[in-house]
Amino acid sequence: MTDRDRGRSSMIVVFGGVQIDSRATNPPRFRERDVPDVERRTADALGALRPRLLVGAAASGADLVVLAAARSKGLPVRVVLPFDVPTFKQTSVEDRGPQWCLRYDQLISSLKPDELEILDEIRDAGVYHRTNTRLLERAARLRQTADEEIVALVLRPVVSHRASVTDDLVDKARHAGLRVVEVPTLG
């Protein structure tokens, strides 16, 4: 019996999204008070998609919300970080507070060796845009069959007032002809 016969689609989800708002974020993009609602909607989206594998990073906010939802549903993940674990935590988690550091540390410590990949990227202004490209490339290489679908799942506000790394992921996914599923981050 194949995964499709069991009701699980043959799909890889590449995920990304906005970080949780800092005190300086204006207008809001992903407020702390909206996390429970976004977690529920993310779990619902994953339940509808039923992916074989999720591929993405582990920044505060959207990434960690998606990873928690995936873990709660028993879905396999591949966490791909542009830098080593401590450097990524410093650049993409620490400034959002201790609760996000705790989530990050718990996630990282729960990963098996084949669930974590470090890209050894250079820290510069384009690193996260390059990482988006590499996430999509990684998903393509992890396909089990040529017709296995790759879907981009993004968590971001419905209306964005400035371009973001998440917008870059959406643009790259659409350019590649991939379906994009969005979960709004503002309730």
Side-chain angles (χ1 to χ4, degrees):
M1 189 181 281
T2 68
D3 282 344
R4 225 177 225 140
D5 296 331
R6 288 186 199 103
R8 176 170 282 180
S9 62
S10 182
M11 173 190 305
I12 296 174
V13 167
V14 175
F15 64 89
V18 296
Q19 284 189 276
I20 203 74
D21 290 350
S22 70
R23 291 178 192 181
T25 305
N26 191 19
R29 297 164 49 92
F30 189 0
R31 299 174 298 224
E32 195 72 46
R33 71 178 191 222
D34 292 320
V35 169
D37 187 47
V38 173
E39 287 174 329
R40 180 190 51 75
R41 287 186 276 121
T42 300
D44 290 348
L46 289 177
L49 291 170
R50 297 186 320 248
R52 176 182 69 78
L53 176 67
L54 286 94
V55 177
S60 68
D63 291 350
L64 289 173
V65 165
V66 172
L67 287 163
R71 288 292 206 212
S72 74
K73 293 191 167 297
L75 298 171
V77 300
R78 171 74 62 97
V79 174
V80 180
L81 302 179
F83 324 114
D84 61 81
V85 169
T87 302
F88 188 79
K89 181 179 178 181
Q90 177 192 15
T91 63
S92 300
V93 182
E94 283 181 358
D95 66 340
R96 296 315 201 259
Q99 71 278 16
W100 291 98
C101 289
L102 179 61
R103 278 183 170 221
Y104 177 81
D105 292 340
Q106 289 172 336
L107 169 82
I108 294 297
S109 68
S110 76
L111 296 174
K112 298 174 190 148
D114 66 335
E115 294 179 319
L116 177 63
E117 181 176 346
I118 307 299
L119 298 176
D120 291 323
E121 276 282 351
I122 298 166
R123 283 178 62 182
D124 63 14
V127 66
Y128 297 111
H129 291 83
R130 288 192 308 275
T131 300
N132 283 340
T133 299
R134 293 183 73 182
L135 290 172
L136 294 167
E137 290 170 350
R138 179 65 65 239
R141 281 197 290 271
L142 290 169
R143 281 180 164 161
Q144 290 182 337
T145 63
D147 66 338
E148 184 170 40
E149 185 180 13
I150 298 173
V151 173
L153 174 66
V154 294
L155 282 61
R156 66 179 179 170
V158 173
V159 176
S160 184
H161 298 281
R162 61 186 162 102
S164 70
V165 173
T166 305
D167 297 332
D168 175 69
L169 177 60
V170 169
D171 291 345
K172 286 176 177 168
R174 287 189 175 140
H175 182 74
L178 304 180
R179 180 163 52 121
V180 176
V181 175
E182 297 196 44
V183 175
T185 53
L186 294 175

